[in-house]
PDB file of all heavy atoms in Angstrom:
ATOM      1  N   LYS A   1       0.802  -1.229   0.000  1.00  0.00           N
ATOM      2  CA  LYS A   1       0.000   0.000   0.000  1.00  0.00           C
ATOM      3  C   LYS A   1       0.831   1.274   0.000  1.00  0.00           C
ATOM      4  O   LYS A   1       0.316   2.349  -0.266  1.00  0.00           O
ATOM      5  CB  LYS A   1      -0.980  -0.019   1.168  1.00  0.00           C
ATOM      6  CG  LYS A   1      -2.003  -1.131   1.004  1.00  0.00           C
ATOM      7  CD  LYS A   1      -3.061  -1.119   2.056  1.00  0.00           C
ATOM      8  CE  LYS A   1      -4.043  -2.262   1.783  1.00  0.00           C
ATOM      9  NZ  LYS A   1      -5.211  -2.179   2.602  1.00  0.00           N
ATOM     10  N   THR A   2       2.123   1.147   0.306  1.00  0.00           N
ATOM     11  CA  THR A   2       3.035   2.294   0.211  1.00  0.00           C
ATOM     12  C   THR A   2       4.271   1.866  -0.573  1.00  0.00           C
ATOM     13  O   THR A   2       4.713   0.721  -0.480  1.00  0.00           O
ATOM     14  CB  THR A   2       3.473   2.818   1.592  1.00  0.00           C
ATOM     15  OG1 THR A   2       4.053   1.749   2.328  1.00  0.00           O
ATOM     16  CG2 THR A   2       2.323   3.409   2.363  1.00  0.00           C
ATOM     17  N   CYS A   3       4.810   2.783  -1.331  1.00  0.00           N
ATOM     18  CA  CYS A   3       5.987   2.511  -2.156  1.00  0.00           C
ATOM     19  C   CYS A   3       7.200   2.291  -1.255  1.00  0.00           C
ATOM     20  O   CYS A   3       7.482   3.109  -0.382  1.00  0.00           O
ATOM     21  CB  CYS A   3       6.229   3.668  -3.117  1.00  0.00           C
ATOM     22  SG  CYS A   3       7.697   3.461  -4.155  1.00  0.00           S
ATOM     23  N   SER A   4       7.913   1.197  -1.486  1.00  0.00           N
ATOM     24  CA  SER A   4       9.089   0.920  -0.655  1.00  0.00           C
ATOM     25  C   SER A   4      10.272   1.814  -1.030  1.00  0.00           C
ATOM     26  O   SER A   4      11.225   1.928  -0.280  1.00  0.00           O
ATOM     27  CB  SER A   4       9.487  -0.554  -0.761  1.00  0.00           C
ATOM     28  OG  SER A   4       9.832  -0.885  -2.081  1.00  0.00           O
ATOM     29  N   LYS A   5      10.184   2.505  -2.158  1.00  0.00           N
ATOM     30  CA  LYS A   5      11.271   3.400  -2.575  1.00  0.00           C
ATOM     31  C   LYS A   5      11.075   4.829  -2.058  1.00  0.00           C
ATOM     32  O   LYS A   5      11.975   5.409  -1.477  1.00  0.00           O
ATOM     33  CB  LYS A   5      11.378   3.406  -4.099  1.00  0.00           C
ATOM     34  CG  LYS A   5      12.522   4.225  -4.624  1.00  0.00           C
ATOM     35  CD  LYS A   5      12.642   4.108  -6.120  1.00  0.00           C
ATOM     36  CE  LYS A   5      13.819   4.937  -6.624  1.00  0.00           C
ATOM     37  NZ  LYS A   5      13.948   4.875  -8.075  1.00  0.00           N
ATOM     38  N   CYS A   6       9.850   5.399  -2.266  1.00  0.00           N
ATOM     39  CA  CYS A   6       9.648   6.812  -1.901  1.00  0.00           C
ATOM     40  C   CYS A   6       8.667   7.020  -0.747  1.00  0.00           C
ATOM     41  O   CYS A   6       8.547   8.122  -0.238  1.00  0.00           O
ATOM     42  CB  CYS A   6       9.183   7.609  -3.125  1.00  0.00           C
ATOM     43  SG  CYS A   6       7.471   7.292  -3.618  1.00  0.00           S
ATOM     44  N   GLY A   7       7.927   5.984  -0.357  1.00  0.00           N
ATOM     45  CA  GLY A   7       6.999   6.096   0.762  1.00  0.00           C
ATOM     46  C   GLY A   7       5.620   6.626   0.406  1.00  0.00           C
ATOM     47  O   GLY A   7       4.759   6.757   1.267  1.00  0.00           O
ATOM     48  N   SER A   8       5.379   6.940  -0.871  1.00  0.00           N
ATOM     49  CA  SER A   8       4.063   7.433  -1.302  1.00  0.00           C
ATOM     50  C   SER A   8       3.031   6.310  -1.284  1.00  0.00           C
ATOM     51  O   SER A   8       3.384   5.137  -1.387  1.00  0.00           O
ATOM     52  CB  SER A   8       4.142   7.977  -2.737  1.00  0.00           C
ATOM     53  OG  SER A   8       4.996   9.080  -2.801  1.00  0.00           O
ATOM     54  N   LYS A   9       1.759   6.693  -1.163  1.00  0.00           N
ATOM     55  CA  LYS A   9       0.688   5.702  -1.247  1.00  0.00           C
ATOM     56  C   LYS A   9       0.617   5.172  -2.674  1.00  0.00           C
ATOM     57  O   LYS A   9       0.787   5.929  -3.633  1.00  0.00           O
ATOM     58  CB  LYS A   9      -0.651   6.309  -0.869  1.00  0.00           C
ATOM     59  CG  LYS A   9      -0.831   6.480   0.598  1.00  0.00           C
ATOM     60  CD  LYS A   9      -2.270   6.761   0.935  1.00  0.00           C
ATOM     61  CE  LYS A   9      -2.441   6.698   2.438  1.00  0.00           C
ATOM     62  NZ  LYS A   9      -3.827   6.701   2.833  1.00  0.00           N
ATOM     63  N   THR A  10       0.352   3.872  -2.796  1.00  0.00           N
ATOM     64  CA  THR A  10       0.206   3.265  -4.118  1.00  0.00           C
ATOM     65  C   THR A  10      -1.265   3.216  -4.494  1.00  0.00           C
ATOM     66  O   THR A  10      -2.138   3.261  -3.624  1.00  0.00           O
ATOM     67  CB  THR A  10       0.803   1.845  -4.143  1.00  0.00           C
ATOM     68  OG1 THR A  10       0.176   1.062  -3.120  1.00  0.00           O
ATOM     69  CG2 THR A  10       2.310   1.876  -3.918  1.00  0.00           C
ATOM     70  N   GLU A  11      -1.528   3.102  -5.781  1.00  0.00           N
ATOM     71  CA  GLU A  11      -2.897   3.044  -6.288  1.00  0.00           C
ATOM     72  C   GLU A  11      -3.185   1.655  -6.850  1.00  0.00           C
ATOM     73  O   GLU A  11      -2.293   1.010  -7.400  1.00  0.00           O
ATOM     74  CB  GLU A  11      -3.090   4.087  -7.388  1.00  0.00           C
ATOM     75  CG  GLU A  11      -2.904   5.508  -6.903  1.00  0.00           C
ATOM     76  CD  GLU A  11      -3.068   6.533  -8.015  1.00  0.00           C
ATOM     77  OE1 GLU A  11      -3.680   6.211  -9.054  1.00  0.00           O
ATOM     78  OE2 GLU A  11      -2.587   7.660  -7.842  1.00  0.00           O
ATOM     79  N   ARG A  12      -4.441   1.249  -6.727  1.00  0.00           N
ATOM     80  CA  ARG A  12      -4.862  -0.044  -7.277  1.00  0.00           C
ATOM     81  C   ARG A  12      -4.747  -0.013  -8.794  1.00  0.00           C
ATOM     82  O   ARG A  12      -5.040   0.989  -9.429  1.00  0.00           O
ATOM     83  CB  ARG A  12      -6.304  -0.355  -6.903  1.00  0.00           C
ATOM     84  CG  ARG A  12      -6.499  -0.607  -5.458  1.00  0.00           C
ATOM     85  CD  ARG A  12      -7.942  -0.909  -5.197  1.00  0.00           C
ATOM     86  NE  ARG A  12      -8.180  -0.910  -3.755  1.00  0.00           N
ATOM     87  CZ  ARG A  12      -9.366  -0.969  -3.214  1.00  0.00           C
ATOM     88  NH1 ARG A  12     -10.439  -1.008  -3.969  1.00  0.00           N
ATOM     89  NH2 ARG A  12      -9.505  -0.969  -1.915  1.00  0.00           N
ATOM     90  N   GLU A  13      -4.331  -1.154  -9.336  1.00  0.00           N
ATOM     91  CA  GLU A  13      -4.199  -1.264 -10.779  1.00  0.00           C
ATOM     92  C   GLU A  13      -4.397  -2.725 -11.178  1.00  0.00           C
ATOM     93  O   GLU A  13      -4.021  -3.622 -10.448  1.00  0.00           O
ATOM     94  CB  GLU A  13      -2.799  -0.792 -11.198  1.00  0.00           C
ATOM     95  CG  GLU A  13      -2.619  -0.655 -12.681  1.00  0.00           C
ATOM     96  CD  GLU A  13      -1.281  -0.006 -13.014  1.00  0.00           C
ATOM     97  OE1 GLU A  13      -0.271  -0.729 -13.075  1.00  0.00           O
ATOM     98  OE2 GLU A  13      -1.256   1.223 -13.201  1.00  0.00           O
ATOM     99  N   THR A  14      -4.995  -2.933 -12.343  1.00  0.00           N
ATOM    100  CA  THR A  14      -5.145  -4.276 -12.876  1.00  0.00           C
ATOM    101  C   THR A  14      -4.027  -4.512 -13.873  1.00  0.00           C
ATOM    102  O   THR A  14      -3.825  -3.716 -14.790  1.00  0.00           O
ATOM    103  CB  THR A  14      -6.507  -4.451 -13.568  1.00  0.00           C
ATOM    104  OG1 THR A  14      -7.538  -4.165 -12.618  1.00  0.00           O
ATOM    105  CG2 THR A  14      -6.691  -5.859 -14.082  1.00  0.00           C
ATOM    106  N   LEU A  15      -3.305  -5.598 -13.689  1.00  0.00           N
ATOM    107  CA  LEU A  15      -2.208  -5.955 -14.582  1.00  0.00           C
ATOM    108  C   LEU A  15      -2.644  -7.145 -15.425  1.00  0.00           C
ATOM    109  O   LEU A  15      -3.115  -8.149 -14.895  1.00  0.00           O
ATOM    110  CB  LEU A  15      -0.965  -6.315 -13.757  1.00  0.00           C
ATOM    111  CG  LEU A  15       0.259  -6.743 -14.526  1.00  0.00           C
ATOM    112  CD1 LEU A  15       0.817  -5.581 -15.340  1.00  0.00           C
ATOM    113  CD2 LEU A  15       1.322  -7.259 -13.562  1.00  0.00           C
ATOM    114  N   TYR A  16      -2.492  -7.021 -16.722  1.00  0.00           N
ATOM    115  CA  TYR A  16      -2.832  -8.115 -17.630  1.00  0.00           C
ATOM    116  C   TYR A  16      -1.571  -8.915 -17.906  1.00  0.00           C
ATOM    117  O   TYR A  16      -0.583  -8.386 -18.401  1.00  0.00           O
ATOM    118  CB  TYR A  16      -3.450  -7.567 -18.911  1.00  0.00           C
ATOM    119  CG  TYR A  16      -4.754  -6.865 -18.636  1.00  0.00           C
ATOM    120  CD1 TYR A  16      -4.794  -5.493 -18.395  1.00  0.00           C
ATOM    121  CD2 TYR A  16      -5.941  -7.580 -18.559  1.00  0.00           C
ATOM    122  CE1 TYR A  16      -5.986  -4.853 -18.101  1.00  0.00           C
ATOM    123  CE2 TYR A  16      -7.139  -6.949 -18.267  1.00  0.00           C
ATOM    124  CZ  TYR A  16      -7.148  -5.580 -18.041  1.00  0.00           C
ATOM    125  OH  TYR A  16      -8.333  -4.955 -17.744  1.00  0.00           O
ATOM    126  N   VAL A  17      -1.612 -10.200 -17.569  1.00  0.00           N
ATOM    127  CA  VAL A  17      -0.456 -11.080 -17.667  1.00  0.00           C
ATOM    128  C   VAL A  17      -0.765 -12.201 -18.648  1.00  0.00           C
ATOM    129  O   VAL A  17      -1.880 -12.723 -18.672  1.00  0.00           O
ATOM    130  CB  VAL A  17      -0.136 -11.669 -16.271  1.00  0.00           C
ATOM    131  CG1 VAL A  17       1.008 -12.642 -16.333  1.00  0.00           C
ATOM    132  CG2 VAL A  17       0.140 -10.561 -15.287  1.00  0.00           C
ATOM    133  N   THR A  18       0.235 -12.562 -19.444  1.00  0.00           N
ATOM    134  CA  THR A  18       0.068 -13.667 -20.390  1.00  0.00           C
ATOM    135  C   THR A  18       0.943 -14.833 -19.962  1.00  0.00           C
ATOM    136  O   THR A  18       2.132 -14.665 -19.694  1.00  0.00           O
ATOM    137  CB  THR A  18       0.454 -13.228 -21.816  1.00  0.00           C
ATOM    138  OG1 THR A  18      -0.324 -12.095 -22.182  1.00  0.00           O
ATOM    139  CG2 THR A  18       0.197 -14.342 -22.818  1.00  0.00           C
ATOM    140  N   TYR A  19       0.322 -16.011 -19.918  1.00  0.00           N
ATOM    141  CA  TYR A  19       1.037 -17.256 -19.609  1.00  0.00           C
ATOM    142  C   TYR A  19       1.116 -18.069 -20.892  1.00  0.00           C
ATOM    143  O   TYR A  19       0.089 -18.375 -21.498  1.00  0.00           O
ATOM    144  CB  TYR A  19       0.304 -18.028 -18.504  1.00  0.00           C
ATOM    145  CG  TYR A  19       0.939 -19.354 -18.175  1.00  0.00           C
ATOM    146  CD1 TYR A  19       2.205 -19.407 -17.613  1.00  0.00           C
ATOM    147  CD2 TYR A  19       0.286 -20.548 -18.432  1.00  0.00           C
ATOM    148  CE1 TYR A  19       2.805 -20.609 -17.305  1.00  0.00           C
ATOM    149  CE2 TYR A  19       0.873 -21.761 -18.119  1.00  0.00           C
ATOM    150  CZ  TYR A  19       2.139 -21.791 -17.573  1.00  0.00           C
ATOM    151  OH  TYR A  19       2.736 -22.983 -17.279  1.00  0.00           O
ATOM    152  N   HIS A  20       2.324 -18.366 -21.321  1.00  0.00           N
ATOM    153  CA  HIS A  20       2.532 -19.073 -22.582  1.00  0.00           C
ATOM    154  C   HIS A  20       2.555 -20.585 -22.343  1.00  0.00           C
ATOM    155  O   HIS A  20       3.295 -21.072 -21.502  1.00  0.00           O
ATOM    156  CB  HIS A  20       3.854 -18.640 -23.218  1.00  0.00           C
ATOM    157  CG  HIS A  20       3.967 -17.161 -23.410  1.00  0.00           C
ATOM    158  ND1 HIS A  20       3.332 -16.501 -24.441  1.00  0.00           N
ATOM    159  CD2 HIS A  20       4.610 -16.207 -22.685  1.00  0.00           C
ATOM    160  CE1 HIS A  20       3.603 -15.207 -24.350  1.00  0.00           C
ATOM    161  NE2 HIS A  20       4.359 -14.991 -23.289  1.00  0.00           N
ATOM    162  N   THR A  21       1.719 -21.311 -23.111  1.00  0.00           N
ATOM    163  CA  THR A  21       1.719 -22.774 -23.059  1.00  0.00           C
ATOM    164  C   THR A  21       1.970 -23.296 -24.468  1.00  0.00           C
ATOM    165  O   THR A  21       1.950 -22.533 -25.443  1.00  0.00           O
ATOM    166  CB  THR A  21       0.371 -23.327 -22.552  1.00  0.00           C
ATOM    167  OG1 THR A  21      -0.639 -23.065 -23.523  1.00  0.00           O
ATOM    168  CG2 THR A  21      -0.021 -22.730 -21.222  1.00  0.00           C
ATOM    169  N   ALA A  22       2.166 -24.584 -24.596  1.00  0.00           N
ATOM    170  CA  ALA A  22       2.396 -25.192 -25.907  1.00  0.00           C
ATOM    171  C   ALA A  22       1.150 -25.093 -26.787  1.00  0.00           C
ATOM    172  O   ALA A  22       1.248 -25.037 -28.011  1.00  0.00           O
ATOM    173  CB  ALA A  22       2.811 -26.644 -25.739  1.00  0.00           C
ATOM    174  N   ILE A  23      -0.013 -25.031 -26.159  1.00  0.00           N
ATOM    175  CA  ILE A  23      -1.276 -25.015 -26.907  1.00  0.00           C
ATOM    176  C   ILE A  23      -1.722 -23.591 -27.230  1.00  0.00           C
ATOM    177  O   ILE A  23      -2.125 -23.296 -28.346  1.00  0.00           O
ATOM    178  CB  ILE A  23      -2.379 -25.748 -26.114  1.00  0.00           C
ATOM    179  CG1 ILE A  23      -1.963 -27.202 -25.896  1.00  0.00           C
ATOM    180  CG2 ILE A  23      -3.712 -25.666 -26.821  1.00  0.00           C
ATOM    181  CD1 ILE A  23      -2.813 -27.943 -24.907  1.00  0.00           C
ATOM    182  N   ALA A  24      -1.652 -22.709 -26.250  1.00  0.00           N
ATOM    183  CA  ALA A  24      -2.147 -21.337 -26.453  1.00  0.00           C
ATOM    184  C   ALA A  24      -1.562 -20.399 -25.406  1.00  0.00           C
ATOM    185  O   ALA A  24      -0.996 -20.837 -24.409  1.00  0.00           O
ATOM    186  CB  ALA A  24      -3.666 -21.325 -26.367  1.00  0.00           C
ATOM    187  N   ASP A  25      -1.735 -19.116 -25.652  1.00  0.00           N
ATOM    188  CA  ASP A  25      -1.377 -18.098 -24.658  1.00  0.00           C
ATOM    189  C   ASP A  25      -2.616 -17.794 -23.834  1.00  0.00           C
ATOM    190  O   ASP A  25      -3.682 -17.529 -24.386  1.00  0.00           O
ATOM    191  CB  ASP A  25      -0.890 -16.819 -25.336  1.00  0.00           C
ATOM    192  CG  ASP A  25       0.469 -16.995 -25.978  1.00  0.00           C
ATOM    193  OD1 ASP A  25       1.140 -18.007 -25.692  1.00  0.00           O
ATOM    194  OD2 ASP A  25       0.855 -16.122 -26.764  1.00  0.00           O
ATOM    195  N   ILE A  26      -2.472 -17.850 -22.526  1.00  0.00           N
ATOM    196  CA  ILE A  26      -3.600 -17.629 -21.618  1.00  0.00           C
ATOM    197  C   ILE A  26      -3.404 -16.280 -20.940  1.00  0.00           C
ATOM    198  O   ILE A  26      -2.367 -16.033 -20.326  1.00  0.00           O
ATOM    199  CB  ILE A  26      -3.682 -18.754 -20.575  1.00  0.00           C
ATOM    200  CG1 ILE A  26      -3.848 -20.097 -21.287  1.00  0.00           C
ATOM    201  CG2 ILE A  26      -4.811 -18.500 -19.591  1.00  0.00           C
ATOM    202  CD1 ILE A  26      -3.614 -21.290 -20.408  1.00  0.00           C
ATOM    203  N   LYS A  27      -4.414 -15.413 -21.041  1.00  0.00           N
ATOM    204  CA  LYS A  27      -4.340 -14.082 -20.436  1.00  0.00           C
ATOM    205  C   LYS A  27      -5.117 -14.066 -19.126  1.00  0.00           C
ATOM    206  O   LYS A  27      -6.207 -14.597 -19.040  1.00  0.00           O
ATOM    207  CB  LYS A  27      -4.886 -13.036 -21.389  1.00  0.00           C
ATOM    208  CG  LYS A  27      -4.053 -12.939 -22.645  1.00  0.00           C
ATOM    209  CD  LYS A  27      -4.544 -11.866 -23.562  1.00  0.00           C
ATOM    210  CE  LYS A  27      -3.867 -12.008 -24.880  1.00  0.00           C
ATOM    211  NZ  LYS A  27      -3.038 -11.038 -25.342  1.00  0.00           N
ATOM    212  N   ASN A  28      -4.503 -13.449 -18.124  1.00  0.00           N
ATOM    213  CA  ASN A  28      -5.128 -13.326 -16.813  1.00  0.00           C
ATOM    214  C   ASN A  28      -5.019 -11.897 -16.318  1.00  0.00           C
ATOM    215  O   ASN A  28      -4.134 -11.157 -16.731  1.00  0.00           O
ATOM    216  CB  ASN A  28      -4.437 -14.232 -15.788  1.00  0.00           C
ATOM    217  CG  ASN A  28      -4.518 -15.686 -16.149  1.00  0.00           C
ATOM    218  OD1 ASN A  28      -3.523 -16.272 -16.546  1.00  0.00           O
ATOM    219  ND2 ASN A  28      -5.681 -16.287 -16.037  1.00  0.00           N
ATOM    220  N   GLN A  29      -5.914 -11.538 -15.397  1.00  0.00           N
ATOM    221  CA  GLN A  29      -5.855 -10.236 -14.735  1.00  0.00           C
ATOM    222  C   GLN A  29      -5.370 -10.455 -13.307  1.00  0.00           C
ATOM    223  O   GLN A  29      -5.892 -11.309 -12.604  1.00  0.00           O
ATOM    224  CB  GLN A  29      -7.241  -9.601 -14.664  1.00  0.00           C
ATOM    225  CG  GLN A  29      -7.817  -9.205 -15.978  1.00  0.00           C
ATOM    226  CD  GLN A  29      -9.196  -8.578 -15.800  1.00  0.00           C
ATOM    227  OE1 GLN A  29      -9.526  -8.085 -14.734  1.00  0.00           O
ATOM    228  NE2 GLN A  29      -9.982  -8.601 -16.847  1.00  0.00           N
ATOM    229  N   LEU A  30      -4.375  -9.676 -12.916  1.00  0.00           N
ATOM    230  CA  LEU A  30      -3.887  -9.735 -11.543  1.00  0.00           C
ATOM    231  C   LEU A  30      -4.067  -8.363 -10.908  1.00  0.00           C
ATOM    232  O   LEU A  30      -3.847  -7.338 -11.546  1.00  0.00           O
ATOM    233  CB  LEU A  30      -2.410 -10.113 -11.508  1.00  0.00           C
ATOM    234  CG  LEU A  30      -2.039 -11.485 -12.044  1.00  0.00           C
ATOM    235  CD1 LEU A  30      -0.534 -11.696 -11.953  1.00  0.00           C
ATOM    236  CD2 LEU A  30      -2.767 -12.574 -11.288  1.00  0.00           C
ATOM    237  N   PHE A  31      -4.475  -8.347  -9.655  1.00  0.00           N
ATOM    238  CA  PHE A  31      -4.656  -7.093  -8.948  1.00  0.00           C
ATOM    239  C   PHE A  31      -3.327  -6.689  -8.316  1.00  0.00           C
ATOM    240  O   PHE A  31      -2.738  -7.447  -7.554  1.00  0.00           O
ATOM    241  CB  PHE A  31      -5.764  -7.217  -7.907  1.00  0.00           C
ATOM    242  CG  PHE A  31      -7.095  -7.491  -8.541  1.00  0.00           C
ATOM    243  CD1 PHE A  31      -7.651  -8.749  -8.496  1.00  0.00           C
ATOM    244  CD2 PHE A  31      -7.753  -6.489  -9.232  1.00  0.00           C
ATOM    245  CE1 PHE A  31      -8.869  -9.008  -9.104  1.00  0.00           C
ATOM    246  CE2 PHE A  31      -8.965  -6.743  -9.850  1.00  0.00           C
ATOM    247  CZ  PHE A  31      -9.533  -8.001  -9.786  1.00  0.00           C
ATOM    248  N   THR A  32      -2.866  -5.505  -8.680  1.00  0.00           N
ATOM    249  CA  THR A  32      -1.581  -5.001  -8.216  1.00  0.00           C
ATOM    250  C   THR A  32      -1.758  -3.603  -7.649  1.00  0.00           C
ATOM    251  O   THR A  32      -2.857  -3.044  -7.683  1.00  0.00           O
ATOM    252  CB  THR A  32      -0.561  -4.951  -9.374  1.00  0.00           C
ATOM    253  OG1 THR A  32      -1.053  -4.074 -10.390  1.00  0.00           O
ATOM    254  CG2 THR A  32      -0.316  -6.324  -9.956  1.00  0.00           C
ATOM    255  N   ARG A  33      -0.673  -3.044  -7.155  1.00  0.00           N
ATOM    256  CA  ARG A  33      -0.654  -1.657  -6.692  1.00  0.00           C
ATOM    257  C   ARG A  33       0.540  -0.999  -7.368  1.00  0.00           C
ATOM    258  O   ARG A  33       1.574  -1.632  -7.568  1.00  0.00           O
ATOM    259  CB  ARG A  33      -0.546  -1.586  -5.180  1.00  0.00           C
ATOM    260  CG  ARG A  33      -1.720  -2.334  -4.545  1.00  0.00           C
ATOM    261  CD  ARG A  33      -2.127  -1.907  -3.199  1.00  0.00           C
ATOM    262  NE  ARG A  33      -2.352  -0.518  -2.959  1.00  0.00           N
ATOM    263  CZ  ARG A  33      -3.552   0.020  -2.751  1.00  0.00           C
ATOM    264  NH1 ARG A  33      -4.640  -0.713  -2.868  1.00  0.00           N
ATOM    265  NH2 ARG A  33      -3.669   1.293  -2.448  1.00  0.00           N
ATOM    266  N   ARG A  34       0.392   0.272  -7.735  1.00  0.00           N
ATOM    267  CA  ARG A  34       1.435   0.971  -8.483  1.00  0.00           C
ATOM    268  C   ARG A  34       1.718   2.340  -7.881  1.00  0.00           C
ATOM    269  O   ARG A  34       0.802   3.078  -7.549  1.00  0.00           O
ATOM    270  CB  ARG A  34       1.012   1.115  -9.937  1.00  0.00           C
ATOM    271  CG  ARG A  34       2.059   1.730 -10.826  1.00  0.00           C
ATOM    272  CD  ARG A  34       1.709   1.501 -12.286  1.00  0.00           C
ATOM    273  NE  ARG A  34       2.642   2.145 -13.170  1.00  0.00           N
ATOM    274  CZ  ARG A  34       3.815   1.665 -13.535  1.00  0.00           C
ATOM    275  NH1 ARG A  34       4.199   0.495 -13.085  1.00  0.00           N
ATOM    276  NH2 ARG A  34       4.602   2.315 -14.365  1.00  0.00           N
ATOM    277  N   CYS A  35       3.006   2.651  -7.774  1.00  0.00           N
ATOM    278  CA  CYS A  35       3.434   3.976  -7.356  1.00  0.00           C
ATOM    279  C   CYS A  35       3.550   4.826  -8.615  1.00  0.00           C
ATOM    280  O   CYS A  35       4.349   4.518  -9.504  1.00  0.00           O
ATOM    281  CB  CYS A  35       4.780   3.911  -6.633  1.00  0.00           C
ATOM    282  SG  CYS A  35       5.406   5.552  -6.202  1.00  0.00           S
ATOM    283  N   LYS A  36       2.735   5.860  -8.711  1.00  0.00           N
ATOM    284  CA  LYS A  36       2.753   6.730  -9.885  1.00  0.00           C
ATOM    285  C   LYS A  36       4.024   7.573  -9.939  1.00  0.00           C
ATOM    286  O   LYS A  36       4.496   7.914 -11.017  1.00  0.00           O
ATOM    287  CB  LYS A  36       1.521   7.643  -9.908  1.00  0.00           C
ATOM    288  CG  LYS A  36       0.206   6.893  -9.965  1.00  0.00           C
ATOM    289  CD  LYS A  36       0.062   6.130 -11.275  1.00  0.00           C
ATOM    290  CE  LYS A  36      -1.288   5.433 -11.310  1.00  0.00           C
ATOM    291  NZ  LYS A  36      -1.456   4.569 -12.449  1.00  0.00           N
ATOM    292  N   ASN A  37       4.601   7.913  -8.778  1.00  0.00           N
ATOM    293  CA  ASN A  37       5.827   8.719  -8.740  1.00  0.00           C
ATOM    294  C   ASN A  37       7.022   7.938  -9.285  1.00  0.00           C
ATOM    295  O   ASN A  37       7.784   8.444 -10.101  1.00  0.00           O
ATOM    296  CB  ASN A  37       6.141   9.184  -7.316  1.00  0.00           C
ATOM    297  CG  ASN A  37       5.081  10.097  -6.764  1.00  0.00           C
ATOM    298  OD1 ASN A  37       4.386  10.781  -7.497  1.00  0.00           O
ATOM    299  ND2 ASN A  37       4.940  10.107  -5.444  1.00  0.00           N
ATOM    300  N   CYS A  38       7.208   6.721  -8.802  1.00  0.00           N
ATOM    301  CA  CYS A  38       8.377   5.912  -9.159  1.00  0.00           C
ATOM    302  C   CYS A  38       8.113   4.962 -10.337  1.00  0.00           C
ATOM    303  O   CYS A  38       9.041   4.351 -10.845  1.00  0.00           O
ATOM    304  CB  CYS A  38       8.828   5.095  -7.956  1.00  0.00           C
ATOM    305  SG  CYS A  38       9.274   6.084  -6.529  1.00  0.00           S
ATOM    306  N   GLU A  39       6.831   4.814 -10.695  1.00  0.00           N
ATOM    307  CA  GLU A  39       6.407   3.878 -11.749  1.00  0.00           C
ATOM    308  C   GLU A  39       6.850   2.450 -11.432  1.00  0.00           C
ATOM    309  O   GLU A  39       7.357   1.739 -12.278  1.00  0.00           O
ATOM    310  CB  GLU A  39       6.918   4.337 -13.111  1.00  0.00           C
ATOM    311  CG  GLU A  39       6.331   5.673 -13.530  1.00  0.00           C
ATOM    312  CD  GLU A  39       6.712   6.084 -14.940  1.00  0.00           C
ATOM    313  OE1 GLU A  39       7.521   5.394 -15.586  1.00  0.00           O
ATOM    314  OE2 GLU A  39       6.191   7.105 -15.397  1.00  0.00           O
TER     315      GLU A  39
END
């Protein structure tokens, strides 16, 4: 909930992740937090 680099509050963000398999690429949504100052 706070950035370990600058100490600012982080914001909720959805990260789209792709998992590669031999058959297909599978896309998932993961809930993350992001520091807008430090990116």
Side-chain angles (χ1 to χ4, degrees):
K1 295 185 179 190
T2 56
C3 178
S4 62
K5 184 176 181 181
C6 73
S8 297
K9 283 194 171 191
T10 56
E11 297 179 20
R12 292 180 191 171
E13 189 172 84
T14 302
L15 179 67
Y16 296 92
V17 177
T18 304
Y19 177 66
H20 305 282
T21 68
I23 299 168
D25 289 347
I26 301 166
K27 296 183 191 244
N28 299 108
Q29 293 180 22
L30 297 179
F31 296 105
T32 61
R33 302 206 50 109
R34 184 165 176 82
C35 176
K36 299 295 182 186
N37 296 333
C38 301
E39 296 186 355

